[in-house]
Amino acid sequence: MLKSITQSALAVLWAGVVLFHGGTAVSAAYSRPVVAVVGLPGPSPRQVVLNDLFSSRLGNVIASTGVLSAVNPVQLRRELENSGCVEEPCLLRFAGAASIDLVILITVEERPGYSLVELTCYGAGFPLNGKIIVRHAVIVPSGDEESPLRETGYMIEEESGFFLAGVLRRYRHPVPLKRDRDGRAYAPEGPVLNGDYEVWRRIPADGKNAELFQKVETARFANGGADSRLIKDGDVALYRFDDRARFLDEFYYGRKKEMVYAPPSWQDTFFTVLFTCLLY
């Protein structure tokens, strides 16, 4: 049976996450996408070790992007375990209420002769509302935990880098807009907008404690502004992180190429077996 979380427990968790990243409910101010990495370790010591290694390396890559903010994973795990919120539906409800934009779940499954590590990223709020952005699975053959820790860390960080590049390539982040005195729409905070962006507007949800969004148009921005009569103060543009995704791809593919020409070692058996991207 799926576990649920009470309203009071959810309020406590929300308050804790605000302390983690300074977030609030959806507001008119720009903030970096907030990422929560949640490990779901199994009972075996190997599962715990692999879960912790992937959590740590994902945190390193998130920090290196310069465009994402991470929730404190240790405190987050403690709060979730204390509240019994360890199932996927509950985690996504919690993330949406706590203004967390992206939830990355790590699961480790023991199979005969190897472990299957699956990384799944969900978009918690608008515009994805709980849908999967990227799923990435890695096979770690049994015995690799005896390899040098530094080499193991390099390989896990490489897989984490490819995974987060896929997330950034497909995720769209709401950037609040305003109109200047000349009637041009622009983002007063956050990135400078150049190119074509979808613009959406919040509308009240009748009889519900939730927000709905309606597409306004696809507007063309140049030098940070768009000449549009349809955009109003408070609308949001869906920003793309293509540059950062490209940077991660180039960096980790470059390092992978260097490792290919290095003398053969244990990492030859550490490989990605699945990479599926589910678009919304």
Side-chain angles (χ1 to χ4, degrees), residues 1-2 8 18 26 28 64 82 108 165 172 180 230 241 253 280:
M1 178 181 295
L2 295 179
S8 59
V18 169
V26 176
S64 75
N82 289 341
V108 183
R172 303 291 183 264
D180 60 20
L230 300 178
F241 296 95
Y253 274 122
Y280 59 91

Side-chain angles (χ1 to χ4, degrees), residues 156-198:
I156 291 177
E157 185 168 329
E158 179 182 284
E159 296 297 335
S160 299
F162 290 142
F163 169 72
L164 282 169
V167 172
L168 289 173
R169 188 175 299 109
R170 290 161 181 84
Y171 176 61
R172 303 291 183 264
H173 189 59
V175 176
L177 301 174
K178 286 187 176 181
R179 297 181 69 87
D180 60 20
R181 294 179 179 178
D182 298 324
R184 283 170 55 85
Y186 73 105
E189 299 179 8
V192 177
L193 303 179
N194 284 292
D196 295 336
Y197 295 90
E198 290 187 8

Side-chain angles (χ1 to χ4, degrees), residues 121-180:
C121 183
Y122 298 83
F126 175 79
L128 290 163
N129 301 316
K131 294 181 181 179
I132 293 176
I133 304 175
V134 171
R135 176 174 286 142
H136 186 76
V138 180
I139 279 181
V140 185
S142 298
D144 280 352
E145 68 274 13
E146 300 175 359
S147 303
L149 183 60
R150 188 174 70 172
E151 293 187 22
T152 305
Y154 282 159
M155 295 305 301
I156 291 177
E157 185 168 329
E158 179 182 284
E159 296 297 335
S160 299
F162 290 142
F163 169 72
L164 282 169
V167 172
L168 289 173
R169 188 175 299 109
R170 290 161 181 84
Y171 176 61
R172 303 291 183 264
H173 189 59
V175 176
L177 301 174
K178 286 187 176 181
R179 297 181 69 87
D180 60 20

Side-chain angles (χ1 to χ4, degrees), residues 4-5 28 38 54 59 62 67 74 81 130 133 170 186 195 259 262:
S4 61
I5 186 168
V38 181
F54 272 91
I62 288 170
V67 297
V74 176
E81 290 176 349
I133 304 175
R170 290 161 181 84
Y186 73 105
M259 297 181 71

Side-chain angles (χ1 to χ4, degrees), residues 9-270:
L10 184 58
V12 172
L13 286 173
W14 184 88
V17 171
V18 169
L19 292 177
F20 299 156
H21 65 78
T24 61
V26 176
S27 69
Y30 175 82
S31 61
R32 291 181 177 182
V34 177
V35 186
V37 179
V38 181
L40 302 176
S44 76
R46 177 175 167 81
Q47 287 174 303
V48 173
V49 168
L50 287 174
N51 195 293
D52 288 345
L53 284 172
F54 272 91
S55 295
S56 174
R57 293 310 187 274
L58 280 167
N60 291 344
V61 180
I62 288 170
S64 75
T65 64
V67 297
L68 301 173
S69 298
V71 174
N72 184 305
V74 176
Q75 190 171 356
L76 176 63
R77 179 185 295 180
R78 185 185 307 120
E79 297 288 350
L80 292 173
E81 290 176 349
N82 289 341
S83 300
C85 186
V86 295
E87 300 286 353
E88 176 187 308
C90 180
L91 290 171
L92 293 176
R93 288 196 300 272
F94 154 66
S99 300
I100 294 174
D101 301 290
L102 300 168
V103 177
I104 296 175
L105 296 185
I106 306 171
T107 58
V108 183
E109 182 181 347
E110 289 294 321
R111 302 274 182 92
Y114 66 93
S115 296
L116 179 64
V117 181
E118 186 168 271
L119 310 176
T120 306
C121 183
Y122 298 83
F126 175 79
L128 290 163
N129 301 316
K131 294 181 181 179
I132 293 176
I133 304 175
V134 171
R135 176 174 286 142
H136 186 76
V138 180
I139 279 181
V140 185
S142 298
D144 280 352
E145 68 274 13
E146 300 175 359
S147 303
L149 183 60
R150 188 174 70 172
E151 293 187 22
T152 305
Y154 282 159
M155 295 305 301
I156 291 177
E157 185 168 329
E158 179 182 284
E159 296 297 335
S160 299
F162 290 142
F163 169 72
L164 282 169
V167 172
L168 289 173
R169 188 175 299 109
R170 290 161 181 84
Y171 176 61
R172 303 291 183 264
H173 189 59
V175 176
L177 301 174
K178 286 187 176 181
R179 297 181 69 87
D180 60 20
R181 294 179 179 178
D182 298 324
R184 283 170 55 85
Y186 73 105
E189 299 179 8
V192 177
L193 303 179
N194 284 292
D196 295 336
Y197 295 90
E198 290 187 8
V199 177
W200 290 70
R201 178 172 301 149
R202 297 180 182 89
I203 58 176
D206 296 337
K208 297 180 180 179
N209 296 319
E211 288 182 317
L212 298 177
F213 288 80
Q214 182 179 40
K215 185 176 179 179
V216 176
E217 65 170 334
T218 298
R220 174 157 297 179
F221 288 78
N223 298 320
D227 294 314
S228 171
R229 297 181 179 179
L230 300 178
I231 299 176
K232 298 180 179 180
D233 288 352
D235 290 348
V236 295
L238 299 187
Y239 183 73
R240 304 180 298 271
F241 296 95
D242 296 336
D243 290 345
R244 300 311 297 173
R246 189 160 45 249
F247 167 79
L248 289 178
D249 272 336
E250 292 174 354
F251 178 79
Y252 286 104
Y253 274 122
R255 193 160 77 172
K256 189 178 185 71
K257 184 177 180 181
E258 293 176 0
M259 297 181 71
V260 167
Y261 289 102
S265 61
W266 72 273
Q267 62 260 35
D268 294 330
T269 61
F270 188 107

